[in-house]
Each structure stands twice: as C-alpha cells, then as structure tokens.
Amino acid sequence: MSGFLEIRHVSKSFYGVFALKDISFDIEKGSVHAVMGENGAGKSTLMKILGGVYQADKGEIFIRGEKQKLDSVQDARKAGISVIYQEFNLIPDLTVAENIFIIDTPKKTGLGLVDKKKQNENAKKLLESLKININPKVLVGNLSVSEKQMVEIAKALAHDSEIIIMDEPTAALNDDEVVSLCQMVRNLKEQGKTVIYISHRLKEVFDMADTVTVLRDGTYVATKPISELTENLIIKLMVGHEIDGSKARKSYVKREVVLKVKDLKKAGMFEDVSFELHKGEILGLAGLMGCGREEMLSALYGLIKADSGEIWMEGSRIQINSVKDAIHKGICFLTDDRKDSGILPLMSVQENMTMISIRNLRKKLGFYLRSQDELEQLNTMAGVMNIKYAEPSQKITFLSGGNQQKVLLGRNLLLQNKVFIMLEPTRGIDVGAKEEIYKLLRRLTQEGMGVLAVFSDMNELIQVCDRALVFWQGRITGEIEREEFNKEKILSYAAGKGRRKSCETVQV
Ligand code: ADP
Ligand code: MG
C-alpha cells in the first residue's frame, strides 16, 4: 500500500446493472486529482461511495493504509472526506453562516440556544481565510449560483476535511466564476488539502489537475500524470472504441422544414441560436451540462421567454409566450423527469395515455370522450407499442419505467403534433425497453413529426439521431450530419476545445 487515499476493487450495481466494476486507483496527498469520463461512466457513484452516501457492494477504501468504514455521511466526514455534489445541499431560507455550520452549530452555554454572533464570526473568519467575499448574514436564497458554490466549499471546509471532492462544480458557472473556482482549488492545494475534481472541461483539468483518472462505462481505464496527457488522449481514453454503427438508423432523406429558429437569444442562457428542423427528422442536441440546450428548448416550449429571435412553423412566423402557445402550435414536450411532470402517478394507464390527447381535443370540440373510446385507443396503442400492464385501470406508477415512458410517448401518436421536444427519453430505462422506445420514435417521425432530442449518452445520440447540433456555453459550436457522427468530434465541440478562456487568465 503506497498512496494516501486508496480505492481498492470497488464495485457497485443498481438493480443488477453495474455502475462501477472493480475500480482501483490511488490518490496522492495534496494533489488535485481529476476523475473524467462520459456521462454514466460512474464518476458520481464513486464519489458518493467516498462520501458515505452509497455503500459499495464490494471493495475497500484506505486512508494512510487504514481501512475506512464509510457507511454514512457522518462516517465519511469523520474520515476527513467532504463532497460538494452536483446538486447543492444548501437551505435557501437560512443565512450563509447558518448553512456553513448546519451540523456543528456553536451552542450558547446555559440555554442551549445557537450563538448567532459566534456563528457569524466563525463564518466570517472561514470565508476570509478562503478569500471568499460573501457576507455570512445574507440568506443563501439570495446568492448567485457561483456564490452558492463557494458556500458549499466553505461548508465542506468548516469540518476541516482533508479530502475535498467536487462533482462537476463548474457545470453551472460562467467564465469569471470558473476562474475564481480554479483559484480556490489552488488555495486548497496550497493548504495541503487533497482535491478530487470531476469535470468534463478539458481546459480546467489541464489548468489545475496533477493527475487524471479516466473511467468508462463503470470500469477503470487509466490513471496518468497530466504531463503525459493531451486533450486528444483524454478524449480517446474516455470514449474507447467507436461504437458499432450497424444498428444505426438508415440515412435520412431531408424533407421540408417544419421548424425554423433564427437568432434566438435569452441573456445569460443562450444566444445566436439558429437552425432548421425537417419533417421526420430526429435532431440531437449535444453538449455538456449547463451548455444552454435545455434552456433553449424550454424557450421553444414557452417555459421561458426568449429575449429576441424568431421562430417559424411551416413557413409562418409564430410567437411562443407560454406553454399554451406552444401546444397550440403543435409543439409537445417530454421531460426527463417522469415522476415530477410527465405522468400522473395516481391515474390509470388508460387515463394517462389518452388524457392530453383525445380527451382534451374532444373537450375543445364541445363533447366528452366516452370511456369506451378511450379504451379502444388504449388497446390500439398498447398493441403498437407493446406496453405491458395488468389492466387498463392499473395505476401507472406501478408500471416499469420503460412502460411508463411508452405510455407518455404513445399518447403523442394520438395527437397531430408537428414538433416533439424530448429530454433524455430513455433515462433510467433498461436496454430492452430502450429498443422499443427507439422504434416508437421512428414511428413518430414516419408520421412526419420533427424531433428535437437531448441524449446525454453519446452512443444513443449516434444511434438514434439524423443530425446533431452541439452546444457550448449557450451557442451552437458544431453541426454534424449522421454520416460524420463520431464521438471525438462531438466531445471536442462540446468541450469548447480551443475556444475556452478559463484559468489561464489567472497566473499564480
Ligand atoms: P457519471 O457521474 O459518471 O455521469 P453516475 O455515477 O451518475 O455517472 O452513473 C453511473 C451509472 O449508474 C449510470 O448508468 C446511472 O444510471 C446509474 N445510477 C447512478 N445512480 C443510480 C441510482 N441511484 N439508481 C439507479 N441507477 C443509478
Ligand atoms: Mg455525475
């Protein structure tokens, strides 16, 4: 045993599918160690194991040669490990100081009340030592994303952790904020802390990391000092072999334009967005978290309002100021969060399937749908889509994820929609059901619908889409036809390769 932090033979599966398989590597004390890999590579899962959130099925973690018990977040903290997760864990209604000391609150002797003054002083000292310029008395809800990030870091350091893990800390930050984060990581390193840093952004990694470990599909690929790596080499390690194109969709023959977007802009989210979507085409939107594609799609669906730009549907200019406008113009939207917004969990399969389609259409025309018609529709759809349910009145929440998704997609077949926006339509769905979802997608396009789809799994994007637009920092940086699809190309556009100014602007 040699390293400071040693990860040995760690495996973890979810519902029988490996998220991590026999991972072993070492992390040196006082280093900045980047962990890289495509979406779904297992990075966050590994970090959650180190942070005591998940327990490994197999394997061990050693610190200074001593085996660690990491059964809970408290255990991890005792072991000196703090994790700053992708999703923040701050409470907006509490102040900065209260959030930082949420666990070890200084108690006032006697009454057992919280000593606010002491808390604020401690927070101030801590923030100053980190060169973070935030007032400890401000409510967290009033902070910007990057300030929240800084508070998360301060919170992690309040426990005097030796090992700080940051899971994609810059995904939501702008250029200046990235620069201050890089600075912060350097400060931590100077103080002798060990930083495990997850990012897709090559530039940052080259600016900060001493060592890089690459994971791919839950397996360990390599650990190398940054001096032995180039951007291309990292991309190659992340991607592995090119995927088998045999399952890929046949070349799509372009039909007429159904949707045209011109110079669409929303300040701080996306700008200069112009593209055309054709009938029957599946246009994939690629890019990393925070690249602006989802915000752009939200604007097309009326969830947010663009500042400027034009949207054209079948040759006529349209205005989309609300979701109602979007639906009215024949745009539909499928989110990646079925539980939250897609399905009505307590309604039946039958009701979910036909609800937004027939029922609403008929209501508009002034009469209600008979249950019998609904049932017929369901039977037809279920047959077409191979949806498995016990009986039509079964609550949809008890169906498998794949079958739920089929219900959601299926009900769009019943509508006369023109453009279908979908975010991660196959997230959390097993391989078999995925194939069926692809088939359904093809069916939707055969009916002439144009599809705008976000897949964070690049293999899927390559398999399913006819063309891809790659977003980086709110702009389209690349357009790739299916014949030219390859992961390296997509990744380098998505990483803003050769374009990004980040840490190099600050020299220390
Ligand atoms: P990364 O952070 O590299 O993008 P993750 O660690 O989040 O990857 O995910 C690795 C794999 O584990 C993915 O296939 C993901 O779907 C799966 N996974 C992660 N967390 C869970 C969970 N709580 N339940 C089921 N599957 C999960
Ligand atoms: Mg992750």
Coordinates of all heavy atoms in Angstrom, one line a residue, residues 23-106:
I23 N -13.1 -1.1 -9.4 CA -12.3 0.1 -9.5 C -11.2 0.2 -8.5 O -11.5 0.0 -7.3 CB -13.2 1.4 -9.4 CG1 -14.4 1.3 -10.3 CG2 -12.3 2.6 -9.6 CD1 -14.1 1.5 -11.7
S24 N -10.0 0.3 -8.9 CA -8.8 0.5 -8.0 C -7.9 1.6 -8.6 O -7.5 1.6 -9.7 CB -8.0 -0.8 -7.9 OG -8.7 -1.8 -7.4
F25 N -7.6 2.6 -7.7 CA -6.5 3.5 -8.1 C -6.2 4.3 -6.8 O -6.9 4.2 -5.8 CB -6.9 4.4 -9.2 CG -8.0 5.4 -9.1 CD1 -7.8 6.7 -8.6 CD2 -9.4 4.9 -9.3 CE1 -8.9 7.5 -8.5 CE2 -10.4 5.8 -9.1 CZ -10.2 7.1 -8.7
D26 N -5.1 5.0 -6.8 CA -4.6 5.8 -5.7 C -4.7 7.3 -5.9 O -4.6 7.7 -7.0 CB -3.1 5.4 -5.4 CG -2.9 4.0 -5.0 OD1 -3.9 3.3 -4.8 OD2 -1.7 3.7 -4.8
I27 N -4.8 8.0 -4.8 CA -4.8 9.4 -4.9 C -3.8 10.0 -3.9 O -3.7 9.6 -2.8 CB -6.2 10.0 -4.6 CG1 -7.1 9.6 -5.8 CG2 -6.2 11.5 -4.4 CD1 -8.6 9.9 -5.5
E28 N -2.9 10.8 -4.4 CA -1.8 11.3 -3.6 C -2.2 12.5 -2.7 O -3.1 13.3 -3.1 CB -0.6 11.8 -4.5 CG 0.1 10.8 -5.3 CD 0.6 9.7 -4.4 OE1 1.2 10.0 -3.3 OE2 0.5 8.5 -4.8
K29 N -1.6 12.5 -1.5 CA -2.0 13.6 -0.6 C -1.5 15.0 -1.2 O -0.5 15.1 -1.8 CB -1.2 13.4 0.7 CG -1.6 14.6 1.7 CD -1.3 14.2 3.1 CE -1.5 15.4 4.0 NZ -2.8 16.0 3.9
G30 N -2.4 16.0 -1.1 CA -2.0 17.3 -1.5 C -2.1 17.5 -3.0 O -1.7 18.5 -3.5
S31 N -2.7 16.5 -3.7 CA -2.8 16.7 -5.2 C -4.2 17.1 -5.6 O -5.1 17.0 -4.8 CB -2.4 15.4 -5.9 OG -3.4 14.4 -5.6
V32 N -4.3 17.6 -6.8 CA -5.6 17.8 -7.4 C -5.8 16.6 -8.4 O -5.0 16.5 -9.4 CB -5.7 19.2 -8.2 CG1 -7.0 19.3 -8.8 CG2 -5.5 20.3 -7.2
H33 N -6.7 15.8 -8.1 CA -6.9 14.6 -8.9 C -8.2 14.6 -9.7 O -9.2 14.7 -9.1 CB -6.9 13.4 -8.0 CG -6.7 12.0 -8.7 ND1 -5.6 11.2 -8.4 CD2 -7.4 11.4 -9.6 CE1 -5.7 10.1 -9.2 NE2 -6.8 10.2 -9.9
A34 N -8.1 14.7 -11.0 CA -9.3 14.8 -11.8 C -9.8 13.4 -12.1 O -9.0 12.5 -12.4 CB -9.0 15.6 -13.1
V35 N -11.1 13.2 -12.0 CA -11.7 12.0 -12.5 C -12.6 12.3 -13.7 O -13.5 13.2 -13.6 CB -12.6 11.3 -11.4 CG1 -13.3 10.1 -11.9 CG2 -11.7 11.0 -10.2
M36 N -12.3 11.7 -14.8 CA -13.1 12.0 -16.0 C -13.7 10.8 -16.6 O -13.4 9.7 -16.3 CB -12.1 12.6 -17.0 CG -11.4 13.8 -16.5 SD -10.6 14.8 -17.8 CE -11.9 15.6 -18.6
G37 N -14.7 11.1 -17.5 CA -15.4 10.0 -18.1 C -16.7 10.6 -18.6 O -17.2 11.6 -18.2
E38 N -17.3 9.9 -19.6 CA -18.5 10.3 -20.2 C -19.6 10.3 -19.2 O -19.5 9.6 -18.2 CB -18.9 9.4 -21.4 CG -18.1 9.7 -22.6 CD -18.7 8.8 -23.7 OE1 -19.8 9.2 -24.2 OE2 -18.1 7.8 -24.1
N39 N -20.8 10.8 -19.6 CA -22.0 10.7 -18.7 C -22.2 9.2 -18.5 O -22.2 8.4 -19.4 CB -23.2 11.2 -19.4 CG -23.4 12.7 -19.1 OD1 -23.4 13.0 -17.9 ND2 -23.5 13.5 -20.1
G40 N -22.5 8.9 -17.2 CA -22.8 7.5 -16.9 C -21.6 6.6 -16.7 O -21.7 5.4 -16.5
A41 N -20.4 7.2 -16.7 CA -19.2 6.4 -16.5 C -19.1 5.9 -15.1 O -18.4 5.0 -14.8 CB -18.0 7.3 -16.9
G42 N -19.8 6.5 -14.2 CA -19.7 6.1 -12.8 C -19.0 7.0 -11.8 O -18.8 6.7 -10.7
K43 N -18.7 8.2 -12.3 CA -17.9 9.2 -11.5 C -18.7 9.5 -10.2 O -18.1 9.5 -9.1 CB -17.6 10.4 -12.3 CG -17.0 10.2 -13.7 CD -16.8 11.5 -14.5 CE -18.0 12.2 -14.9 NZ -18.9 11.5 -15.9
S44 N -19.9 10.0 -10.4 CA -20.7 10.4 -9.2 C -20.9 9.3 -8.3 O -20.9 9.5 -7.1 CB -22.0 11.0 -9.7 OG -21.8 12.2 -10.4
T45 N -21.2 8.1 -8.8 CA -21.4 7.0 -7.9 C -20.2 6.7 -7.1 O -20.3 6.5 -5.9 CB -21.7 5.7 -8.8 OG1 -22.9 6.0 -9.6 CG2 -22.0 4.5 -7.9
L46 N -19.0 6.8 -7.7 CA -17.8 6.6 -6.9 C -17.6 7.6 -5.8 O -17.2 7.3 -4.7 CB -16.6 6.5 -7.9 CG -15.2 6.3 -7.2 CD1 -15.2 4.9 -6.5 CD2 -14.1 6.4 -8.2
M47 N -17.9 8.9 -6.2 CA -17.8 10.0 -5.2 C -18.8 9.8 -4.1 O -18.5 10.1 -2.9 CB -18.0 11.3 -5.9 CG -16.9 11.6 -7.0 SD -15.3 11.3 -6.4 CE -14.6 10.3 -7.6
K48 N -20.0 9.3 -4.4 CA -21.0 9.1 -3.4 C -20.6 8.0 -2.4 O -20.9 8.0 -1.3 CB -22.4 8.8 -4.0 CG -23.0 10.1 -4.5 CD -24.3 9.9 -5.1 CE -24.9 11.3 -5.6 NZ -25.9 11.2 -6.6
I49 N -19.8 7.0 -3.0 CA -19.3 5.9 -2.1 C -18.2 6.5 -1.2 O -18.3 6.3 0.1 CB -18.7 4.8 -2.9 CG1 -19.9 4.0 -3.6 CG2 -17.9 3.9 -2.1 CD1 -19.5 3.0 -4.6
L50 N -17.4 7.4 -1.7 CA -16.4 8.0 -0.8 C -17.0 8.9 0.2 O -16.5 9.1 1.3 CB -15.4 8.9 -1.7 CG -14.4 8.1 -2.6 CD1 -13.6 9.0 -3.5 CD2 -13.5 7.2 -1.7
G51 N -18.2 9.5 -0.2 CA -18.8 10.5 0.7 C -19.8 9.8 1.7 O -20.5 10.4 2.4
G52 N -19.9 8.4 1.6 CA -20.7 7.7 2.5 C -22.2 7.7 2.2 O -23.1 7.3 3.0
V53 N -22.5 8.2 1.0 CA -24.0 8.3 0.6 C -24.4 6.9 0.1 O -25.5 6.4 0.4 CB -24.2 9.3 -0.5 CG1 -25.6 9.3 -1.0 CG2 -23.8 10.7 0.0
Y54 N -23.6 6.3 -0.8 CA -23.8 4.9 -1.2 C -22.8 4.0 -0.6 O -21.7 4.4 -0.3 CB -23.6 4.8 -2.7 CG -24.6 5.5 -3.6 CD1 -24.3 5.8 -4.9 CD2 -25.9 5.9 -3.2 CE1 -25.2 6.4 -5.8 CE2 -26.8 6.5 -4.0 CZ -26.4 6.8 -5.3 OH -27.3 7.4 -6.2
Q55 N -23.2 2.8 -0.4 CA -22.2 1.8 0.1 C -21.8 0.9 -1.0 O -22.7 0.4 -1.8 CB -22.8 1.0 1.3 CG -22.8 1.7 2.6 CD -23.7 2.9 2.6 OE1 -24.9 2.9 2.4 NE2 -23.1 4.1 2.9
A56 N -20.5 0.7 -1.1 CA -20.0 -0.2 -2.2 C -20.5 -1.6 -1.9 O -20.7 -2.1 -0.8 CB -18.5 -0.2 -2.2
D57 N -20.8 -2.4 -3.0 CA -21.2 -3.8 -2.8 C -19.9 -4.6 -2.5 O -20.0 -5.6 -1.7 CB -21.8 -4.4 -4.1 CG -23.0 -3.6 -4.6 OD1 -23.7 -3.0 -3.7 OD2 -23.3 -3.6 -5.8
K58 N -18.8 -4.2 -3.1 CA -17.5 -4.9 -2.8 C -16.5 -3.8 -2.8 O -16.6 -2.8 -3.4 CB -17.2 -5.8 -4.0 CG -17.9 -7.2 -3.9 CD -17.3 -8.1 -4.9 CE -18.2 -9.3 -5.1 NZ -18.3 -9.7 -6.5
G59 N -15.3 -4.2 -2.2 CA -14.2 -3.3 -2.3 C -13.9 -2.5 -1.0 O -14.8 -2.5 -0.1
E60 N -12.8 -1.9 -1.0 CA -12.4 -1.2 0.2 C -11.8 0.2 -0.1 O -11.2 0.4 -1.2 CB -11.3 -2.0 1.0 CG -12.0 -3.2 1.6 CD -11.0 -4.4 1.7 OE1 -9.9 -4.3 1.1 OE2 -11.4 -5.4 2.4
I61 N -11.8 1.1 0.9 CA -11.2 2.4 0.8 C -10.2 2.5 1.9 O -10.6 2.2 3.1 CB -12.2 3.5 0.9 CG1 -13.4 3.4 0.0 CG2 -11.5 4.9 0.7 CD1 -13.2 3.6 -1.4
F62 N -9.0 2.9 1.6 CA -8.0 3.0 2.7 C -7.5 4.5 2.7 O -7.4 5.1 1.6 CB -6.7 2.2 2.4 CG -7.0 0.7 2.4 CD1 -7.4 0.0 1.3 CD2 -6.8 0.0 3.6 CE1 -7.7 -1.3 1.3 CE2 -7.1 -1.4 3.6 CZ -7.5 -2.0 2.5
I63 N -7.3 5.0 3.9 CA -6.6 6.3 4.0 C -5.4 6.1 4.9 O -5.5 5.5 6.0 CB -7.5 7.4 4.6 CG1 -8.7 7.6 3.7 CG2 -6.7 8.7 4.9 CD1 -9.7 8.7 4.2
R64 N -4.2 6.5 4.4 CA -3.0 6.2 5.1 C -2.9 4.7 5.5 O -2.5 4.4 6.6 CB -2.8 7.1 6.3 CG -2.7 8.6 6.0 CD -2.1 9.3 7.1 NE -2.0 10.7 6.8 CZ -3.0 11.6 6.9 NH1 -4.2 11.3 7.4 NH2 -2.8 12.9 6.6
G65 N -3.3 3.9 4.6 CA -3.1 2.4 4.9 C -4.2 1.9 5.8 O -4.2 0.7 6.1
E66 N -5.1 2.7 6.3 CA -6.1 2.2 7.2 C -7.4 2.1 6.5 O -7.9 3.0 5.9 CB -6.2 3.3 8.3 CG -6.0 2.7 9.7 CD -6.0 3.8 10.7 OE1 -7.1 4.2 11.1 OE2 -4.9 4.3 11.2
K67 N -8.0 0.9 6.7 CA -9.3 0.7 6.1 C -10.4 1.6 6.7 O -10.5 1.7 7.9 CB -9.7 -0.8 6.3 CG -10.9 -1.2 5.5 CD -11.2 -2.6 5.5 CE -12.6 -2.8 5.1 NZ -13.2 -4.1 5.3
Q68 N -11.2 2.2 5.8 CA -12.2 3.1 6.3 C -13.6 2.5 6.3 O -13.9 1.8 5.4 CB -12.2 4.4 5.4 CG -10.9 5.1 5.4 CD -10.5 5.7 6.7 OE1 -11.3 6.3 7.4 NE2 -9.3 5.4 7.1
K69 N -14.3 2.9 7.3 CA -15.8 2.5 7.3 C -16.5 3.7 6.8 O -16.5 4.7 7.4 CB -16.1 2.1 8.7 CG -17.6 1.8 9.0 CD -17.7 1.3 10.4 CE -18.8 1.9 11.2 NZ -19.6 2.9 11.1
L70 N -17.2 3.6 5.7 CA -17.9 4.7 5.1 C -19.4 4.4 4.9 O -19.9 4.4 3.9 CB -17.3 5.1 3.8 CG -15.8 5.5 3.8 CD1 -15.3 5.7 2.4 CD2 -15.6 6.8 4.6
D71 N -20.0 4.1 6.1 CA -21.4 3.7 6.0 C -22.4 4.8 6.0 O -23.6 4.6 5.8 CB -21.7 2.7 7.2 CG -21.0 1.4 7.0 OD1 -20.5 1.1 5.9 OD2 -20.9 0.7 8.0
S72 N -21.9 6.0 6.3 CA -22.8 7.1 6.3 C -22.0 8.4 6.0 O -20.8 8.4 6.0 CB -23.4 7.3 7.7 OG -22.4 7.6 8.6
V73 N -22.8 9.5 5.8 CA -22.1 10.8 5.5 C -21.3 11.2 6.8 O -20.2 11.7 6.6 CB -23.2 11.9 5.2 CG1 -22.5 13.2 5.0 CG2 -24.0 11.4 4.0
Q74 N -21.8 10.9 7.9 CA -21.0 11.2 9.2 C -19.7 10.4 9.2 O -18.7 11.0 9.6 CB -21.9 10.8 10.4 CG -23.0 11.8 10.7 CD -24.2 11.6 9.7 OE1 -24.3 10.6 9.1 NE2 -24.9 12.7 9.6
D75 N -19.8 9.1 8.8 CA -18.5 8.3 8.8 C -17.5 9.0 7.9 O -16.3 9.1 8.2 CB -18.8 6.9 8.2 CG -19.5 6.0 9.3 OD1 -19.5 6.4 10.4 OD2 -19.9 4.9 8.9
A76 N -18.0 9.4 6.7 CA -17.1 10.0 5.7 C -16.5 11.3 6.3 O -15.3 11.5 6.1 CB -17.8 10.2 4.4
R77 N -17.3 12.0 6.9 CA -16.8 13.3 7.5 C -15.7 13.0 8.5 O -14.7 13.7 8.6 CB -18.0 14.1 8.0 CG -17.6 15.6 8.2 CD -18.8 16.4 8.5 NE -19.7 16.5 7.4 CZ -21.0 16.3 7.4 NH1 -21.6 15.9 8.5 NH2 -21.8 16.5 6.4
K78 N -16.0 12.0 9.3 CA -15.0 11.7 10.4 C -13.7 11.2 9.7 O -12.6 11.5 10.2 CB -15.5 10.5 11.3 CG -16.3 11.1 12.4 CD -16.7 9.9 13.4 CE -18.1 10.1 13.9 NZ -18.9 8.9 13.9
A79 N -13.8 10.6 8.6 CA -12.6 10.1 7.8 C -12.0 11.3 7.1 O -10.9 11.2 6.5 CB -13.0 9.1 6.8
G80 N -12.6 12.5 7.2 CA -11.9 13.7 6.6 C -12.3 13.9 5.2 O -11.6 14.6 4.4
I81 N -13.5 13.3 4.8 CA -13.9 13.5 3.4 C -15.2 14.3 3.3 O -16.1 14.0 4.0 CB -14.2 12.1 2.7 CG1 -13.0 11.2 2.8 CG2 -14.7 12.3 1.3 CD1 -13.2 9.8 2.4
S82 N -15.1 15.4 2.5 CA -16.3 16.2 2.2 C -16.6 16.2 0.7 O -15.7 16.4 -0.1 CB -16.1 17.6 2.7 OG -16.3 17.7 4.1
V83 N -17.9 16.1 0.4 CA -18.2 16.1 -1.0 C -19.1 17.3 -1.3 O -20.1 17.5 -0.6 CB -19.0 14.8 -1.4 CG1 -19.1 14.7 -2.9 CG2 -18.2 13.6 -0.9
I84 N -18.8 18.0 -2.4 CA -19.7 19.0 -2.9 C -20.3 18.4 -4.1 O -19.7 18.2 -5.1 CB -18.8 20.3 -3.2 CG1 -18.1 20.8 -2.0 CG2 -19.7 21.3 -3.9 CD1 -16.9 21.6 -2.2
Y85 N -21.6 18.2 -4.0 CA -22.3 17.5 -5.0 C -22.8 18.4 -6.1 O -22.9 19.6 -5.9 CB -23.5 16.7 -4.4 CG -23.1 15.6 -3.5 CD1 -23.2 15.7 -2.2 CD2 -22.6 14.5 -4.1 CE1 -22.8 14.7 -1.3 CE2 -22.1 13.4 -3.3 CZ -22.2 13.6 -1.9 OH -21.8 12.6 -1.1
Q86 N -23.1 17.8 -7.2 CA -23.7 18.5 -8.4 C -24.9 19.3 -8.0 O -25.1 20.4 -8.3 CB -24.1 17.5 -9.5 CG -23.1 17.4 -10.6 CD -23.3 16.1 -11.4 OE1 -23.5 15.0 -10.9 NE2 -23.3 16.3 -12.7
E87 N -25.8 18.6 -7.2 CA -27.0 19.3 -6.7 C -26.6 19.9 -5.4 O -26.0 19.2 -4.5 CB -28.1 18.3 -6.4 CG -28.3 16.9 -7.1 CD -27.2 15.9 -7.0 OE1 -27.0 15.3 -5.9 OE2 -26.5 15.7 -8.0
F88 N -26.9 21.1 -5.2 CA -26.5 21.8 -3.9 C -27.3 21.2 -2.8 O -28.4 20.8 -2.9 CB -26.7 23.3 -4.0 CG -25.7 23.9 -5.0 CD1 -26.2 24.9 -5.9 CD2 -24.4 23.6 -5.0 CE1 -25.4 25.5 -6.8 CE2 -23.5 24.2 -5.9 CZ -24.0 25.2 -6.8
N89 N -26.7 21.3 -1.6 CA -27.4 20.9 -0.4 C -27.6 22.1 0.6 O -27.4 21.9 1.8 CB -26.6 19.8 0.3 CG -26.8 18.5 -0.4 OD1 -27.9 18.1 -0.7 ND2 -25.6 17.9 -0.8
L90 N -27.8 23.2 0.0 CA -28.0 24.4 0.9 C -29.4 24.7 1.1 O -30.3 24.4 0.3 CB -27.3 25.6 0.2 CG -25.8 25.5 0.0 CD1 -25.3 26.7 -0.8 CD2 -25.0 25.3 1.3
I91 N -29.7 25.3 2.3 CA -31.1 25.7 2.6 C -31.3 27.2 2.3 O -30.7 28.0 3.0 CB -31.4 25.3 4.0 CG1 -31.1 23.8 4.2 CG2 -32.8 25.7 4.4 CD1 -31.2 23.4 5.6
P92 N -32.1 27.5 1.3 CA -32.2 28.9 0.9 C -32.7 29.9 2.0 O -32.3 31.0 2.0 CB -33.2 28.9 -0.3 CG -33.8 27.5 -0.3 CD -32.9 26.6 0.5
D93 N -33.5 29.4 2.9 CA -34.1 30.3 3.9 C -33.1 30.5 5.1 O -33.5 31.2 6.0 CB -35.4 29.7 4.5 CG -36.4 29.6 3.3 OD1 -36.3 30.4 2.4 OD2 -37.3 28.8 3.4
L94 N -32.0 29.9 5.1 CA -31.0 30.1 6.2 C -29.9 31.0 5.6 O -29.7 31.1 4.4 CB -30.4 28.8 6.7 CG -31.4 27.8 7.3 CD1 -30.6 26.6 7.8 CD2 -32.2 28.5 8.5
T95 N -29.2 31.7 6.6 CA -28.1 32.5 6.2 C -26.9 31.7 5.7 O -26.9 30.5 6.0 CB -27.6 33.5 7.3 OG1 -27.1 32.7 8.3 CG2 -28.8 34.3 7.9
V96 N -25.9 32.4 5.2 CA -24.7 31.7 4.8 C -24.1 31.0 6.0 O -23.7 29.9 6.0 CB -23.7 32.8 4.2 CG1 -22.3 32.2 4.0 CG2 -24.3 33.3 2.8
A97 N -23.9 31.8 7.1 CA -23.3 31.2 8.3 C -24.1 30.0 8.8 O -23.5 29.0 9.2 CB -23.2 32.3 9.4
E98 N -25.4 30.1 8.8 CA -26.2 29.0 9.3 C -26.0 27.8 8.5 O -26.0 26.7 9.0 CB -27.7 29.4 9.4 CG -28.0 30.3 10.5 CD -29.4 31.1 10.3 OE1 -29.9 31.1 9.2 OE2 -29.9 31.6 11.3
N99 N -25.9 28.0 7.2 CA -25.7 26.8 6.3 C -24.3 26.2 6.5 O -24.2 25.0 6.5 CB -25.8 27.3 4.8 CG -27.2 27.1 4.3 OD1 -27.6 26.0 4.0 ND2 -28.0 28.2 4.2
I100 N -23.3 27.1 6.7 CA -22.0 26.5 6.8 C -21.9 25.7 8.1 O -21.3 24.6 8.1 CB -21.0 27.7 6.9 CG1 -20.9 28.4 5.5 CG2 -19.6 27.2 7.3 CD1 -19.9 29.6 5.5
F101 N -22.5 26.2 9.1 CA -22.4 25.4 10.4 C -23.7 24.6 10.8 O -24.0 24.4 11.9 CB -22.1 26.4 11.6 CG -20.8 27.0 11.4 CD1 -20.6 28.4 11.0 CD2 -19.6 26.3 11.5 CE1 -19.4 29.0 10.9 CE2 -18.3 26.9 11.3 CZ -18.2 28.2 11.0
I102 N -24.3 24.2 9.7 CA -25.6 23.5 10.0 C -25.4 22.3 10.8 O -26.3 21.9 11.6 CB -26.3 23.2 8.6 CG1 -27.8 22.9 8.8 CG2 -25.6 22.0 7.9 CD1 -28.6 23.4 7.7
I103 N -24.3 21.6 10.8 CA -24.1 20.5 11.6 C -23.5 20.8 13.0 O -24.1 20.5 14.0 CB -23.3 19.4 10.9 CG1 -24.1 19.0 9.7 CG2 -23.0 18.2 11.8 CD1 -23.2 18.5 8.5
D104 N -22.3 21.4 13.0 CA -21.8 21.8 14.3 C -22.1 23.2 14.6 O -21.2 24.1 14.5 CB -20.2 21.6 14.3 CG -19.7 20.8 13.1 OD1 -19.4 21.5 12.1 OD2 -19.7 19.6 13.2
T105 N -23.3 23.5 15.0 CA -23.7 24.8 15.4 C -23.1 25.1 16.8 O -23.2 24.4 17.7 CB -25.2 24.9 15.6 OG1 -25.8 23.8 14.9 CG2 -25.7 26.2 15.0
P106 N -22.4 26.3 16.9 CA -21.9 26.7 18.2 C -23.1 27.0 19.2 O -23.9 27.8 18.9 CB -21.1 28.0 18.0 CG -21.2 28.2 16.5 CD -22.2 27.3 15.9

